[in-house]
Amino acid sequence: MASVTQHQIQKFHKDGFLVLEQFFSAEECDSMRSQIQRIVAEMEVPPHCRTAFSTREEEQLQAQGSSDYFLTSGDKIRFFFEKGVLDEKGNFLIPKEKSVSKIGHALHAYDPVFKQITHSPKVQELGKKLGLERPVVVQSMYIFKQPGIGGEVTPHQDATFLHTEPLGRILGFWIALEDATQENGCLWFIPGSHTNGITRRMVRAASGASTCVEFVGSEPAYEDKQFIPLPISKGGLILIHGEVVHKSELNSSESSRHAFTFHVMEAKGTTWSKENWLQPTPELPFPSLYT
């Protein structure tokens, strides 16, 4: 992996994202894939937790919102499923390894393989090049984007879900564990869209509300032509500014699009919102990126 140049960092600040091809080796990608296979093989999911995962706002409120399983997943390794893979009793209609949408949100803390990747020397070096002084890891996810059913992710900004004061302190690291193409659901971005703040927030609802989270504000309507696709090869890393607008389409192909992603916050001079769904816990305070 070549060292990141100042020019690339300037490009990141201009666009709100940066593509770094071949940041991780094929071996590193394969180690994450085989580790996730082991985790899925051992997955025991209580039927009441088999909440289909969706990014559509009303389904999000109903499915995730009514689910403590989601809200308390910040310091655990938990499973979220694609729509239509479970019958009404919560039994799998297809092989379970093809049913998972994502696994989150503390792989970086509790799994040795993902912990090693998250804190790898090249990630720490990149953090330093970006000028991060006290970066902490707030959450991680393994995303499967299953063939044929891997759902779309509607246009959003990560800061909608991970709010800080001031804004601009959240950074996503998105690692392609397989080639991500337009056919299998690569990421799409609106270049420069990270400079206008945010218009929508997902917050914890007041106790006694019917849902656990609610949305404040609304997502503007974006035009398809504003987005550019970012296909990337296996091992590539996309850096994602917390306020850049991005999405991915349904995976209509025969191949999956596995990715490992984690979010880092510059903790220096930053307040993590008490209203975020994700909160550090006594068991798992946000760990430092630098070791």
Side-chain angles (χ1 to χ4, degrees), residues 17-198:
F17 58 83
L18 180 64
V19 176
L20 298 169
E21 287 281 8
Q22 295 174 330
F23 192 86
F24 289 96
S25 67
E27 293 73 34
E28 287 170 313
C29 293
D30 294 342
S31 73
M32 287 186 266
R33 291 201 60 187
S34 49
Q35 185 69 350
I36 219 74
Q37 278 175 329
R38 284 193 283 276
I39 291 171
V40 171
E42 292 165 16
M43 156 176 96
E44 283 299 325
V45 190
H48 75 274
C49 296
R50 293 177 176 179
T51 309
F53 178 74
S54 169
T55 58
R56 294 258 169 227
E57 193 159 320
E58 44 315 333
E59 293 168 11
Q60 221 169 17
L61 293 175
Q62 174 220 340
Q64 290 177 357
S66 60
S67 166
D68 272 345
Y69 187 73
F70 168 73
L71 271 193
T72 56
S73 64
D75 61 352
K76 299 176 192 71
I77 295 175
R78 286 193 166 167
F79 304 91
F80 303 89
F81 300 95
E82 289 293 354
K83 286 188 284 202
V85 302
L86 301 160
D87 64 19
E88 54 283 2
K89 296 196 181 68
N91 298 312
F92 291 106
L93 295 166
I94 60 172
K96 67 177 184 178
E97 64 277 4
K98 293 213 167 19
S99 66
V100 188
S101 160
K102 61 181 207 175
I103 298 179
H105 287 90
L107 287 161
H108 64 279
Y110 295 130
D111 181 274
V113 172
F114 292 98
K115 186 175 192 169
Q116 190 182 351
I117 293 286
T118 302
H119 297 280
S120 59
K122 49 196 165 191
V123 169
Q124 297 194 41
E125 187 201 348
L126 181 53
K128 296 196 164 98
K129 285 256 170 80
L130 288 160
L132 299 176
E133 293 185 55
R134 276 182 39 216
V136 295
V137 186
V138 298
Q139 65 111 354
S140 56
M141 278 189 296
Y142 191 104
I143 304 169
F144 291 80
K145 203 74 163 179
Q146 302 280 6
I149 59 168
E152 67 169 334
V153 177
T154 51
H156 67 284
Q157 300 164 288
D158 292 341
T160 284
F161 307 96
L162 308 172
H163 192 266
T164 60
E165 299 277 339
L167 285 172
R169 300 300 170 85
I170 291 288
L171 180 61
F173 290 72
W174 191 95
I175 304 157
L177 304 184
E178 303 178 276
D179 294 350
T181 64
Q182 285 196 44
E183 291 67 46
N184 74 2
C186 71
L187 299 182
W188 295 67
F189 286 80
I190 302 181
S193 57
H194 59 302
T195 56
N196 304 326
I198 59 170

Side-chain angles (χ1 to χ4, degrees), residues 112 189 214 229 241 244 269:
F189 286 80
E214 58 196 10
H241 187 285
V244 76

Side-chain angles (χ1 to χ4, degrees), residues 145-151 250-256:
K145 203 74 163 179
Q146 302 280 6
I149 59 168
L250 176 81
N251 180 359
S252 54
S253 80
E254 307 282 298
S255 56
S256 54

